[in-house]
Amino acid sequence: MALEVLASPKPGNVDRCHDYPETRVEHFLVSTLAARASLEAAEAREAGLGRLIEGAVGATSCHAGGNTHFGAFILLIPLVYGGDVRGACEAIRASTVEDAIAFYRAFALTNVRVNAADDLDVNDPSAIDALRERGMTLLDVMVHSADRDMVAREWTNGFALCSLGARALLADPEPRTAIARVFLSLLAAELDTFIVKKHGMAVAEETRGRARAVLAGEESVESLDAWCIERGVNPGSLADITIGAIYLALEAGWAWDS
Amino acid sequence: MALEVLASPKPGNVDRCHDYPETRVEHFLVSTLAARASLEAAEAREAGLGRLIEGAVGATSCHAGGNTHFGAFILLIPLVYGGDVRGACEAIRASTVEDAIAFYRAFALTNVRVNAADDLDVNDPSAIDALRERGMTLLDVMVHSADRDMVAREWTNGFALCSLGARALLADPEPRTAIARVFLSLLAAELDTFIVKKHGMAVAEETRGRARAVLAGEESVESLDAWCIERGVNPGSLADITIGAIYLALEAGWAWDS
């Protein structure tokens, strides 16, 4: 989490060279420090995935910078719990309705942008009754959200993007600057679903198109960054994916500092 | 520790905008994350000050960036152990010969620049025998070093500079940028003893003089930063003092994020 937020340039996102007025790199690092006990609890399997995510979101809501790592925990908690992708998928398949309910409770602890055009709106208290009535597990919730949320989608596709990102990090000849490069590649390859929710599909597509132009040498990364910042376009879901990728790369022995 | 390393501009030191080739902001943040268990052990008074410092130095030598927080631990461990300056001074007065020996062992765990023109050279294995023969406690060691090491001096003067820095932070009307301002004031007020050890008295005096010129509006902080970096002048002891000041300010309720 610390390596991800520092990596720069990451167009549109908080990085070593850029804050948002309400959310600064210090908030992300306070959140990183505050997350430790929750990640250790995940490693020790002290609770189910839902309660672990709820605990991590609660522990890292200690600063005034708003939501910093909710999406990251949706990826990191099962990965740390399971030890690797296979173990994470096993834990996910065993998730329960209680996990889903705890996950919904986590939303009350922070301000997270979600797609509310849904009968399982996280801001609607009756949604928890609906989860119980339908017997939806936390995996069911993620399946339900997978088409419009790329973080939820990782639960349903074997952490495909996180794994791709990890392999890209491991293969990069210059580890010290690899994270920003992998982030840009993800931005050029995928539509960030956080941008879709916040700004709509057209802006998400334009962002992806501009990232492709940067890779093609037709636009500078600084110009894309300025374009994003001017519009408040922050690819937050791809930042979460990048954190998952860094975790998997480190677990595979990535020498980030070489 | 995280707030200190990110604060910028800090002339000559690693900050949000500047790395050294061998020591980067990531190394400081890895060290910050790795320090938690040792600081918790200090809060719980699980061992004496010497072993606690030894443990912290060992735990944070997990990265390839060299020494990052040795001096900071000399200040933070007693402050966290004691809870405040008065409690820290009480713990310091109770320090033992075994604390001194553990502290000397800590030097073997990292590369720290020390003044070797001394019969208690930390690189000399017989120094530990000398500590025992003379019955020197860890406080005695700090008294012995106080005239040439401003971090050791804090043990002998009631954490005077840390406390001054803390009050300056608490009084600053713009908390979000206060750390860099307080650092610059300390640099203008004091000779950094780390610079003295590394570059000699004349360079330390010139650094202090240039910091005074920045405060007087006669030189820009950027120009002082460039001057320091060109010569490898990094005011490392004042960075440690600043960490102690931030800790005391936070303990006193400093709203760093307001």
mmCIF file of all heavy atoms in Angstrom, chain A residues 2-3 6 15-19 21 24-27 29-30 32-34 36 64-65 176 256-257, chain B residues 2-3 6 15-19 21 24-27 29-30 32-34 36 64-65 176 256-257:
data_model
loop_
_atom_site.group_PDB
_atom_site.id
_atom_site.type_symbol
_atom_site.label_atom_id
_atom_site.label_comp_id
_atom_site.label_asym_id
_atom_site.label_seq_id
_atom_site.Cartn_x
_atom_site.Cartn_y
_atom_site.Cartn_z
ATOM 1 N N ALA A 2 1.967 1.214 0.748
ATOM 2 C CA ALA A 2 2.876 2.370 0.769
ATOM 3 C C ALA A 2 3.572 2.520 -0.585
ATOM 4 O O ALA A 2 3.700 3.629 -1.114
ATOM 5 C CB ALA A 2 3.909 2.212 1.891
ATOM 6 N N LEU A 3 4.028 1.409 -1.142
ATOM 7 C CA LEU A 3 4.721 1.486 -2.434
ATOM 8 C C LEU A 3 3.779 1.996 -3.509
ATOM 9 O O LEU A 3 4.171 2.781 -4.380
ATOM 10 C CB LEU A 3 5.270 0.104 -2.829
ATOM 11 C CG LEU A 3 6.388 -0.452 -1.946
ATOM 12 C CD1 LEU A 3 6.770 -1.872 -2.405
ATOM 13 C CD2 LEU A 3 7.620 0.451 -1.976
ATOM 14 N N LEU A 6 3.125 5.893 -3.259
ATOM 15 C CA LEU A 6 4.289 6.721 -3.582
ATOM 16 C C LEU A 6 4.630 6.698 -5.065
ATOM 17 O O LEU A 6 5.209 7.657 -5.582
ATOM 18 C CB LEU A 6 5.505 6.251 -2.779
ATOM 19 C CG LEU A 6 5.443 6.608 -1.295
ATOM 20 C CD1 LEU A 6 6.548 5.904 -0.537
ATOM 21 C CD2 LEU A 6 5.538 8.116 -1.106
ATOM 22 N N ASP A 15 -0.206 10.638 -5.631
ATOM 23 C CA ASP A 15 1.081 9.961 -5.702
ATOM 24 C C ASP A 15 2.123 10.839 -5.018
ATOM 25 O O ASP A 15 1.791 11.824 -4.368
ATOM 26 C CB ASP A 15 1.461 9.599 -7.148
ATOM 27 C CG ASP A 15 1.697 10.806 -8.047
ATOM 28 O OD1 ASP A 15 1.908 11.930 -7.526
ATOM 29 O OD2 ASP A 15 1.676 10.631 -9.269
ATOM 30 N N ARG A 16 3.367 10.481 -5.168
ATOM 31 C CA ARG A 16 4.429 11.213 -4.462
ATOM 32 C C ARG A 16 4.424 12.695 -4.844
ATOM 33 O O ARG A 16 4.799 13.546 -4.044
ATOM 34 C CB ARG A 16 5.778 10.582 -4.809
ATOM 35 C CG ARG A 16 6.906 11.229 -4.038
ATOM 36 C CD ARG A 16 8.106 10.326 -3.952
ATOM 37 N NE ARG A 16 9.212 11.047 -3.368
ATOM 38 C CZ ARG A 16 10.397 10.530 -3.150
ATOM 39 N NH1 ARG A 16 10.630 9.267 -3.484
ATOM 40 N NH2 ARG A 16 11.362 11.247 -2.612
ATOM 41 N N CYS A 17 3.981 12.993 -6.053
ATOM 42 C CA CYS A 17 4.050 14.373 -6.554
ATOM 43 C C CYS A 17 2.702 15.074 -6.554
ATOM 44 O O CYS A 17 2.625 16.221 -7.004
ATOM 45 C CB CYS A 17 4.619 14.376 -7.966
ATOM 46 S SG CYS A 17 6.214 13.561 -8.047
ATOM 47 N N HIS A 18 1.641 14.414 -6.113
ATOM 48 C CA HIS A 18 0.338 15.042 -6.256
ATOM 49 C C HIS A 18 -0.641 14.631 -5.163
ATOM 50 O O HIS A 18 -0.854 13.440 -4.927
ATOM 51 C CB HIS A 18 -0.269 14.694 -7.630
ATOM 52 C CG HIS A 18 -1.658 15.222 -7.788
ATOM 53 N ND1 HIS A 18 -2.750 14.393 -7.909
ATOM 54 C CD2 HIS A 18 -2.133 16.478 -7.770
ATOM 55 C CE1 HIS A 18 -3.839 15.143 -7.992
ATOM 56 N NE2 HIS A 18 -3.503 16.410 -7.910
ATOM 57 N N ASP A 19 -1.254 15.612 -4.502
ATOM 58 C CA ASP A 19 -2.358 15.382 -3.558
ATOM 59 C C ASP A 19 -3.668 15.856 -4.177
ATOM 60 O O ASP A 19 -3.658 16.671 -5.105
ATOM 61 C CB ASP A 19 -2.156 16.222 -2.289
ATOM 62 C CG ASP A 19 -0.978 15.766 -1.461
ATOM 63 O OD1 ASP A 19 -0.715 14.547 -1.439
ATOM 64 O OD2 ASP A 19 -0.338 16.622 -0.841
ATOM 65 N N PRO A 21 -7.053 18.024 -2.703
ATOM 66 C CA PRO A 21 -7.195 18.942 -1.547
ATOM 67 C C PRO A 21 -7.641 18.214 -0.278
ATOM 68 O O PRO A 21 -7.144 18.489 0.811
ATOM 69 C CB PRO A 21 -8.267 19.942 -2.014
ATOM 70 C CG PRO A 21 -8.230 19.895 -3.498
ATOM 71 C CD PRO A 21 -7.828 18.491 -3.863
ATOM 72 N N ARG A 24 -4.663 13.413 0.919
ATOM 73 C CA ARG A 24 -3.250 13.607 0.641
ATOM 74 C C ARG A 24 -2.486 12.309 0.838
ATOM 75 O O ARG A 24 -3.010 11.343 1.393
ATOM 76 C CB ARG A 24 -2.700 14.694 1.578
ATOM 77 C CG ARG A 24 -3.408 16.034 1.370
ATOM 78 C CD ARG A 24 -2.869 17.103 2.295
ATOM 79 N NE ARG A 24 -3.133 16.803 3.680
ATOM 80 C CZ ARG A 24 -2.281 17.022 4.685
ATOM 81 N NH1 ARG A 24 -1.095 17.514 4.442
ATOM 82 N NH2 ARG A 24 -2.618 16.742 5.921
ATOM 83 N N VAL A 25 -1.249 12.302 0.383
ATOM 84 C CA VAL A 25 -0.453 11.091 0.514
ATOM 85 C C VAL A 25 -0.322 10.712 1.989
ATOM 86 O O VAL A 25 -0.285 9.522 2.324
ATOM 87 C CB VAL A 25 0.925 11.274 -0.181
ATOM 88 C CG1 VAL A 25 1.827 12.215 0.588
ATOM 89 C CG2 VAL A 25 1.585 9.949 -0.436
ATOM 90 N N GLU A 26 -0.324 11.695 2.893
ATOM 91 C CA GLU A 26 -0.255 11.384 4.319
ATOM 92 C C GLU A 26 -1.462 10.551 4.765
ATOM 93 O O GLU A 26 -1.318 9.655 5.607
ATOM 94 C CB GLU A 26 -0.206 12.667 5.159
ATOM 95 C CG GLU A 26 1.147 13.373 5.167
ATOM 96 C CD GLU A 26 1.304 14.377 4.042
ATOM 97 O OE1 GLU A 26 0.462 14.369 3.102
ATOM 98 O OE2 GLU A 26 2.255 15.171 4.084
ATOM 99 N N HIS A 27 -2.651 10.846 4.228
ATOM 100 C CA HIS A 27 -3.824 10.049 4.605
ATOM 101 C C HIS A 27 -3.649 8.594 4.176
ATOM 102 O O HIS A 27 -3.990 7.672 4.917
ATOM 103 C CB HIS A 27 -5.088 10.634 3.976
ATOM 104 C CG HIS A 27 -5.432 12.001 4.485
ATOM 105 N ND1 HIS A 27 -5.565 13.098 3.670
ATOM 106 C CD2 HIS A 27 -5.645 12.450 5.744
ATOM 107 C CE1 HIS A 27 -5.863 14.164 4.406
ATOM 108 N NE2 HIS A 27 -5.918 13.803 5.659
ATOM 109 N N LEU A 29 -0.867 7.031 3.838
ATOM 110 C CA LEU A 29 0.155 6.373 4.651
ATOM 111 C C LEU A 29 -0.339 6.127 6.071
ATOM 112 O O LEU A 29 -0.008 5.093 6.670
ATOM 113 C CB LEU A 29 1.448 7.184 4.618
ATOM 114 C CG LEU A 29 2.121 7.086 3.245
ATOM 115 C CD1 LEU A 29 3.234 8.114 3.106
ATOM 116 C CD2 LEU A 29 2.661 5.676 2.991
ATOM 117 N N VAL A 30 -1.139 7.030 6.614
ATOM 118 C CA VAL A 30 -1.762 6.772 7.923
ATOM 119 C C VAL A 30 -2.646 5.528 7.815
ATOM 120 O O VAL A 30 -2.632 4.649 8.692
ATOM 121 C CB VAL A 30 -2.562 8.003 8.402
ATOM 122 C CG1 VAL A 30 -3.476 7.646 9.565
ATOM 123 C CG2 VAL A 30 -1.610 9.128 8.806
ATOM 124 N N THR A 32 -2.265 3.080 5.708
ATOM 125 C CA THR A 32 -1.349 1.945 5.574
ATOM 126 C C THR A 32 -0.861 1.479 6.944
ATOM 127 O O THR A 32 -0.847 0.282 7.247
ATOM 128 C CB THR A 32 -0.153 2.352 4.690
ATOM 129 O OG1 THR A 32 -0.639 2.696 3.396
ATOM 130 C CG2 THR A 32 0.864 1.242 4.581
ATOM 131 N N LEU A 33 -0.476 2.438 7.776
ATOM 132 C CA LEU A 33 0.007 2.093 9.122
ATOM 133 C C LEU A 33 -1.121 1.500 9.966
ATOM 134 O O LEU A 33 -0.916 0.549 10.717
ATOM 135 C CB LEU A 33 0.580 3.339 9.811
ATOM 136 C CG LEU A 33 1.954 3.786 9.298
ATOM 137 C CD1 LEU A 33 2.196 5.257 9.603
ATOM 138 C CD2 LEU A 33 3.060 2.933 9.899
ATOM 139 N N ALA A 34 -2.326 2.066 9.820
ATOM 140 C CA ALA A 34 -3.458 1.627 10.649
ATOM 141 C C ALA A 34 -3.985 0.260 10.235
ATOM 142 O O ALA A 34 -4.720 -0.374 10.983
ATOM 143 C CB ALA A 34 -4.581 2.666 10.577
ATOM 144 N N ARG A 36 -2.311 -2.490 9.685
ATOM 145 C CA ARG A 36 -1.478 -3.652 9.996
ATOM 146 C C ARG A 36 -2.211 -4.719 10.812
ATOM 147 O O ARG A 36 -2.190 -5.909 10.469
ATOM 148 C CB ARG A 36 -0.209 -3.233 10.723
ATOM 149 C CG ARG A 36 0.594 -4.438 11.220
ATOM 150 C CD ARG A 36 1.885 -4.037 11.853
ATOM 151 N NE ARG A 36 2.805 -3.598 10.820
ATOM 152 C CZ ARG A 36 3.948 -4.224 10.525
ATOM 153 N NH1 ARG A 36 4.318 -5.290 11.203
ATOM 154 N NH2 ARG A 36 4.728 -3.779 9.586
ATOM 155 N N ALA A 64 -8.930 12.032 8.354
ATOM 156 C CA ALA A 64 -9.965 12.892 7.771
ATOM 157 C C ALA A 64 -9.909 12.916 6.244
ATOM 158 O O ALA A 64 -10.544 13.760 5.619
ATOM 159 C CB ALA A 64 -9.827 14.314 8.315
ATOM 160 N N GLY A 65 -9.179 11.974 5.654
ATOM 161 C CA GLY A 65 -8.976 12.013 4.205
ATOM 162 C C GLY A 65 -10.004 11.222 3.416
ATOM 163 O O GLY A 65 -9.821 11.012 2.221
ATOM 164 N N ARG A 176 12.471 -0.315 -9.523
ATOM 165 C CA ARG A 176 12.230 0.908 -8.738
ATOM 166 C C ARG A 176 11.217 1.844 -9.373
ATOM 167 O O ARG A 176 10.680 2.705 -8.699
ATOM 168 C CB ARG A 176 13.542 1.665 -8.519
ATOM 169 C CG ARG A 176 14.491 0.911 -7.629
ATOM 170 C CD ARG A 176 15.676 1.785 -7.260
ATOM 171 N NE ARG A 176 16.574 1.031 -6.399
ATOM 172 C CZ ARG A 176 17.561 1.587 -5.714
ATOM 173 N NH1 ARG A 176 17.760 2.885 -5.802
ATOM 174 N NH2 ARG A 176 18.336 0.852 -4.951
ATOM 175 N N TRP A 256 11.588 -5.393 -5.144
ATOM 176 C CA TRP A 256 11.142 -4.044 -5.497
ATOM 177 C C TRP A 256 12.248 -3.008 -5.402
ATOM 178 O O TRP A 256 12.192 -1.973 -6.049
ATOM 179 C CB TRP A 256 9.991 -3.613 -4.572
ATOM 180 C CG TRP A 256 10.401 -3.455 -3.133
ATOM 181 C CD1 TRP A 256 10.487 -4.453 -2.197
ATOM 182 C CD2 TRP A 256 10.821 -2.260 -2.470
ATOM 183 N NE1 TRP A 256 10.925 -3.945 -0.998
ATOM 184 C CE2 TRP A 256 11.139 -2.595 -1.132
ATOM 185 C CE3 TRP A 256 10.960 -0.922 -2.867
ATOM 186 C CZ2 TRP A 256 11.593 -1.660 -0.204
ATOM 187 C CZ3 TRP A 256 11.411 0.009 -1.928
ATOM 188 C CH2 TRP A 256 11.723 -0.367 -0.624
ATOM 189 N N ASP A 257 13.271 -3.308 -4.624
ATOM 190 C CA ASP A 257 14.277 -2.306 -4.300
ATOM 191 C C ASP A 257 15.581 -2.535 -5.065
ATOM 192 O O ASP A 257 16.592 -1.921 -4.776
ATOM 193 C CB ASP A 257 14.517 -2.375 -2.781
ATOM 194 C CG ASP A 257 15.369 -1.227 -2.292
ATOM 195 O OD1 ASP A 257 15.374 -0.180 -2.982
ATOM 196 O OD2 ASP A 257 16.022 -1.374 -1.253
ATOM 197 N N ALA B 2 6.558 8.818 9.544
ATOM 198 C CA ALA B 2 6.033 8.989 8.179
ATOM 199 C C ALA B 2 5.823 10.472 7.863
ATOM 200 O O ALA B 2 6.188 10.939 6.768
ATOM 201 C CB ALA B 2 4.715 8.218 8.011
ATOM 202 N N LEU B 3 5.258 11.199 8.816
ATOM 203 C CA LEU B 3 5.022 12.629 8.568
ATOM 204 C C LEU B 3 6.346 13.364 8.373
ATOM 205 O O LEU B 3 6.448 14.244 7.515
ATOM 206 C CB LEU B 3 4.247 13.246 9.737
ATOM 207 C CG LEU B 3 2.807 12.752 9.937
ATOM 208 C CD1 LEU B 3 2.207 13.377 11.189
ATOM 209 C CD2 LEU B 3 1.944 13.070 8.719
ATOM 210 N N LEU B 6 7.983 12.675 4.822
ATOM 211 C CA LEU B 6 7.237 13.260 3.697
ATOM 212 C C LEU B 6 7.345 14.783 3.654
ATOM 213 O O LEU B 6 7.249 15.384 2.579
ATOM 214 C CB LEU B 6 5.763 12.862 3.783
ATOM 215 C CG LEU B 6 5.486 11.408 3.424
ATOM 216 C CD1 LEU B 6 4.061 11.049 3.773
ATOM 217 C CD2 LEU B 6 5.761 11.143 1.954
ATOM 218 N N ASP B 15 13.050 13.694 1.306
ATOM 219 C CA ASP B 15 11.703 14.174 1.569
ATOM 220 C C ASP B 15 10.797 13.751 0.416
ATOM 221 O O ASP B 15 11.190 12.946 -0.429
ATOM 222 C CB ASP B 15 11.663 15.684 1.848
ATOM 223 C CG ASP B 15 12.064 16.533 0.642
ATOM 224 O OD1 ASP B 15 12.009 16.027 -0.508
ATOM 225 O OD2 ASP B 15 12.409 17.704 0.859
ATOM 226 N N ARG B 16 9.596 14.288 0.401
ATOM 227 C CA ARG B 16 8.642 13.858 -0.615
ATOM 228 C C ARG B 16 9.176 14.116 -2.027
ATOM 229 O O ARG B 16 8.829 13.410 -2.971
ATOM 230 C CB ARG B 16 7.315 14.611 -0.402
ATOM 231 C CG ARG B 16 6.251 14.138 -1.356
ATOM 232 C CD ARG B 16 4.880 14.470 -0.854
ATOM 233 N NE ARG B 16 3.891 14.169 -1.875
ATOM 234 C CZ ARG B 16 2.604 14.341 -1.740
ATOM 235 N NH1 ARG B 16 2.115 14.805 -0.606
ATOM 236 N NH2 ARG B 16 1.782 14.035 -2.714
ATOM 237 N N CYS B 17 10.020 15.136 -2.166
ATOM 238 C CA CYS B 17 10.492 15.549 -3.493
ATOM 239 C C CYS B 17 11.926 15.130 -3.767
ATOM 240 O O CYS B 17 12.459 15.445 -4.823
ATOM 241 C CB CYS B 17 10.371 17.060 -3.634
ATOM 242 S SG CYS B 17 8.711 17.661 -3.309
ATOM 243 N N HIS B 18 12.592 14.438 -2.847
ATOM 244 C CA HIS B 18 14.007 14.157 -3.060
ATOM 245 C C HIS B 18 14.465 12.868 -2.397
ATOM 246 O O HIS B 18 14.255 12.669 -1.206
ATOM 247 C CB HIS B 18 14.860 15.330 -2.535
ATOM 248 C CG HIS B 18 16.325 15.045 -2.630
ATOM 249 N ND1 HIS B 18 17.122 14.897 -1.520
ATOM 250 C CD2 HIS B 18 17.109 14.823 -3.697
ATOM 251 C CE1 HIS B 18 18.347 14.617 -1.920
ATOM 252 N NE2 HIS B 18 18.371 14.561 -3.217
ATOM 253 N N ASP B 19 15.095 11.989 -3.188
ATOM 254 C CA ASP B 19 15.763 10.799 -2.669
ATOM 255 C C ASP B 19 17.274 10.980 -2.739
ATOM 256 O O ASP B 19 17.767 11.814 -3.502
ATOM 257 C CB ASP B 19 15.441 9.577 -3.569
ATOM 258 C CG ASP B 19 13.996 9.144 -3.472
ATOM 259 O OD1 ASP B 19 13.390 9.290 -2.396
ATOM 260 O OD2 ASP B 19 13.479 8.649 -4.493
ATOM 261 N N PRO B 21 20.575 8.484 -3.867
ATOM 262 C CA PRO B 21 20.621 7.281 -4.720
ATOM 263 C C PRO B 21 20.455 5.987 -3.922
ATOM 264 O O PRO B 21 19.759 5.073 -4.351
ATOM 265 C CB PRO B 21 22.016 7.364 -5.358
ATOM 266 C CG PRO B 21 22.407 8.799 -5.287
ATOM 267 C CD PRO B 21 21.743 9.366 -4.059
ATOM 268 N N ARG B 24 16.022 6.009 -0.203
ATOM 269 C CA ARG B 24 14.863 6.661 -0.793
ATOM 270 C C ARG B 24 13.744 6.777 0.228
ATOM 271 O O ARG B 24 13.789 6.160 1.291
ATOM 272 C CB ARG B 24 14.391 5.842 -2.005
ATOM 273 C CG ARG B 24 15.473 5.764 -3.096
ATOM 274 C CD ARG B 24 14.997 4.974 -4.295
ATOM 275 N NE ARG B 24 14.755 3.586 -3.978
ATOM 276 C CZ ARG B 24 13.749 2.863 -4.449
ATOM 277 N NH1 ARG B 24 12.864 3.413 -5.259
ATOM 278 N NH2 ARG B 24 13.624 1.599 -4.126
ATOM 279 N N VAL B 25 12.741 7.540 -0.122
ATOM 280 C CA VAL B 25 11.627 7.721 0.800
ATOM 281 C C VAL B 25 10.972 6.364 1.104
ATOM 282 O O VAL B 25 10.504 6.125 2.224
ATOM 283 C CB VAL B 25 10.620 8.761 0.234
ATOM 284 C CG1 VAL B 25 9.841 8.212 -0.934
ATOM 285 C CG2 VAL B 25 9.703 9.293 1.317
ATOM 286 N N GLU B 26 10.993 5.456 0.154
ATOM 287 C CA GLU B 26 10.424 4.120 0.395
ATOM 288 C C GLU B 26 11.156 3.409 1.535
ATOM 289 O O GLU B 26 10.535 2.693 2.331
ATOM 290 C CB GLU B 26 10.498 3.246 -0.866
ATOM 291 C CG GLU B 26 9.471 3.562 -1.927
ATOM 292 C CD GLU B 26 9.918 4.633 -2.914
ATOM 293 O OE1 GLU B 26 10.940 5.325 -2.651
ATOM 294 O OE2 GLU B 26 9.253 4.792 -3.960
ATOM 295 N N HIS B 27 12.481 3.568 1.607
ATOM 296 C CA HIS B 27 13.215 2.924 2.690
ATOM 297 C C HIS B 27 12.785 3.474 4.054
ATOM 298 O O HIS B 27 12.628 2.722 5.013
ATOM 299 C CB HIS B 27 14.723 3.139 2.503
ATOM 300 C CG HIS B 27 15.280 2.463 1.289
ATOM 301 N ND1 HIS B 27 15.928 3.143 0.280
ATOM 302 C CD2 HIS B 27 15.253 1.168 0.887
ATOM 303 C CE1 HIS B 27 16.299 2.294 -0.664
ATOM 304 N NE2 HIS B 27 15.891 1.085 -0.319
ATOM 305 N N LEU B 29 9.902 4.679 4.743
ATOM 306 C CA LEU B 29 8.540 4.236 5.069
ATOM 307 C C LEU B 29 8.499 2.756 5.419
ATOM 308 O O LEU B 29 7.732 2.338 6.293
ATOM 309 C CB LEU B 29 7.584 4.584 3.927
ATOM 310 C CG LEU B 29 7.338 6.105 3.857
ATOM 311 C CD1 LEU B 29 6.666 6.481 2.550
ATOM 312 C CD2 LEU B 29 6.525 6.587 5.045
ATOM 313 N N VAL B 30 9.328 1.946 4.769
ATOM 314 C CA VAL B 30 9.437 0.541 5.170
ATOM 315 C C VAL B 30 9.926 0.473 6.614
ATOM 316 O O VAL B 30 9.406 -0.292 7.436
ATOM 317 C CB VAL B 30 10.382 -0.226 4.208
ATOM 318 C CG1 VAL B 30 10.771 -1.575 4.797
ATOM 319 C CG2 VAL B 30 9.720 -0.404 2.847
ATOM 320 N N THR B 32 9.507 2.752 8.887
ATOM 321 C CA THR B 32 8.386 3.210 9.718
ATOM 322 C C THR B 32 7.413 2.075 9.998
ATOM 323 O O THR B 32 6.974 1.871 11.135
ATOM 324 C CB THR B 32 7.667 4.368 8.995
ATOM 325 O OG1 THR B 32 8.582 5.452 8.857
ATOM 326 C CG2 THR B 32 6.455 4.841 9.772
ATOM 327 N N LEU B 33 7.078 1.315 8.936
ATOM 328 C CA LEU B 33 6.157 0.190 9.104
ATOM 329 C C LEU B 33 6.780 -0.899 9.982
ATOM 330 O O LEU B 33 6.105 -1.495 10.814
ATOM 331 C CB LEU B 33 5.780 -0.380 7.731
ATOM 332 C CG LEU B 33 4.816 0.480 6.915
ATOM 333 C CD1 LEU B 33 4.910 0.164 5.434
ATOM 334 C CD2 LEU B 33 3.388 0.288 7.401
ATOM 335 N N ALA B 34 8.081 -1.138 9.796
ATOM 336 C CA ALA B 34 8.746 -2.223 10.522
ATOM 337 C C ALA B 34 8.962 -1.886 11.990
ATOM 338 O O ALA B 34 9.229 -2.769 12.796
ATOM 339 C CB ALA B 34 10.091 -2.548 9.859
ATOM 340 N N ARG B 36 6.814 -0.698 14.158
ATOM 341 C CA ARG B 36 5.634 -0.680 15.027
ATOM 342 C C ARG B 36 5.767 -1.599 16.247
ATOM 343 O O ARG B 36 5.515 -1.189 17.380
ATOM 344 C CB ARG B 36 4.375 -1.050 14.242
ATOM 345 C CG ARG B 36 3.164 -1.219 15.174
ATOM 346 C CD ARG B 36 1.909 -1.493 14.392
ATOM 347 N NE ARG B 36 1.496 -0.293 13.733
ATOM 348 C CZ ARG B 36 0.340 0.344 13.980
ATOM 349 N NH1 ARG B 36 -0.477 -0.133 14.880
ATOM 350 N NH2 ARG B 36 0.025 1.416 13.332
ATOM 351 N N ALA B 64 17.372 -2.242 2.181
ATOM 352 C CA ALA B 64 18.734 -2.033 1.680
ATOM 353 C C ALA B 64 19.132 -0.561 1.681
ATOM 354 O O ALA B 64 20.137 -0.192 1.080
ATOM 355 C CB ALA B 64 18.847 -2.614 0.266
ATOM 356 N N GLY B 65 18.362 0.271 2.363
ATOM 357 C CA GLY B 65 18.612 1.710 2.314
ATOM 358 C C GLY B 65 19.551 2.228 3.391
ATOM 359 O O GLY B 65 19.668 3.445 3.557
ATOM 360 N N ARG B 176 -0.506 21.738 8.196
ATOM 361 C CA ARG B 176 -0.162 20.840 7.086
ATOM 362 C C ARG B 176 1.220 21.099 6.503
ATOM 363 O O ARG B 176 1.767 20.240 5.812
ATOM 364 C CB ARG B 176 -1.212 20.955 5.965
ATOM 365 C CG ARG B 176 -2.557 20.401 6.396
ATOM 366 C CD ARG B 176 -3.503 20.352 5.226
ATOM 367 N NE ARG B 176 -4.795 19.819 5.658
ATOM 368 C CZ ARG B 176 -5.729 19.405 4.839
ATOM 369 N NH1 ARG B 176 -5.534 19.459 3.527
ATOM 370 N NH2 ARG B 176 -6.866 18.938 5.297
ATOM 371 N N TRP B 256 -2.398 17.619 13.224
ATOM 372 C CA TRP B 256 -1.489 17.734 12.070
ATOM 373 C C TRP B 256 -2.251 17.907 10.757
ATOM 374 O O TRP B 256 -1.715 18.427 9.786
ATOM 375 C CB TRP B 256 -0.593 16.497 11.977
ATOM 376 C CG TRP B 256 -1.349 15.225 11.670
ATOM 377 C CD1 TRP B 256 -1.973 14.418 12.570
ATOM 378 C CD2 TRP B 256 -1.593 14.648 10.384
ATOM 379 N NE1 TRP B 256 -2.570 13.369 11.933
ATOM 380 C CE2 TRP B 256 -2.360 13.476 10.596
ATOM 381 C CE3 TRP B 256 -1.222 14.983 9.081
ATOM 382 C CZ2 TRP B 256 -2.781 12.659 9.536
ATOM 383 C CZ3 TRP B 256 -1.635 14.167 8.028
ATOM 384 C CH2 TRP B 256 -2.410 13.014 8.265
ATOM 385 N N ASP B 257 -3.491 17.464 10.724
ATOM 386 C CA ASP B 257 -4.230 17.369 9.463
ATOM 387 C C ASP B 257 -5.250 18.491 9.328
ATOM 388 O O ASP B 257 -6.098 18.456 8.440
ATOM 389 C CB ASP B 257 -4.919 16.002 9.433
ATOM 390 C CG ASP B 257 -5.499 15.689 8.089
ATOM 391 O OD1 ASP B 257 -5.008 16.269 7.094
ATOM 392 O OD2 ASP B 257 -6.433 14.883 8.018
#
